[in-house]
Amino acid sequence: MNVFILEDDHNQQRHLKTMIEKISREISINELKIHLFTSTDQLKMGLPVASKKNVFILDLEINGIKTAGLEISRVIRKHDELASIIFITRNVNLN
């Protein structure tokens, strides 16, 4: 399984990586590769060969752009129709 995490907050990125590693051990996923990205440009450059083993975890807001995750998901889907895409977000200010 290949997991591609797009998250611009390094603390959140590390937390996601740790959670994914823990879950993969619990459900016995032996071949796991986690790839970390902090910008959509980095992710575009690192798009893998299409595969149903690709999982993209995308923060909706990247570097202040509220729709960056959604926009990159369209690029991913055109490139890799078989991949799973998961959106995450964290709203700190509820006002």
Side-chain angles (χ1 to χ4, degrees):
M1 177 179 286
N2 301 302
V3 178
F4 301 84
I5 299 173
L6 175 61
E7 171 59 71
D8 58 346
D9 181 304
H10 291 286
N11 291 329
Q12 290 296 319
Q13 195 181 69
R14 279 191 303 274
H15 180 67
L16 284 167
K17 182 177 185 278
T18 300
M19 285 180 17
I20 292 165
E21 289 169 338
K22 181 179 182 240
I23 292 167
S24 70
R25 284 190 302 273
E26 290 173 359
I27 62 174
S28 300
I29 295 176
N30 297 324
E31 294 186 33
L32 175 70
K33 293 181 184 171
I34 299 175
H35 309 270
L36 304 174
F37 302 91
T38 57
S39 75
T40 55
D41 288 339
Q42 285 179 335
L43 181 54
K44 283 179 194 175
M45 299 284 287
L47 286 175
V49 173
S51 171
K52 65 181 179 181
K53 293 183 179 183
N54 294 336
V55 177
F56 292 85
I57 301 175
L58 309 175
D59 186 2
L60 287 175
E61 183 176 340
I62 297 295
N63 299 316
I65 302 170
K66 294 187 184 285
T67 59
L70 186 59
E71 291 168 15
I72 192 69
S73 74
R74 292 182 182 120
V75 172
I76 292 166
R77 184 56 67 216
K78 285 181 183 176
H79 176 79
D80 189 347
E81 293 179 0
L82 303 173
S84 296
I85 299 175
I86 301 166
F87 294 101
I88 58 171
T89 192
R90 181 181 75 148
N91 189 346
V92 183
N93 184 3
L94 299 176
N95 296 330

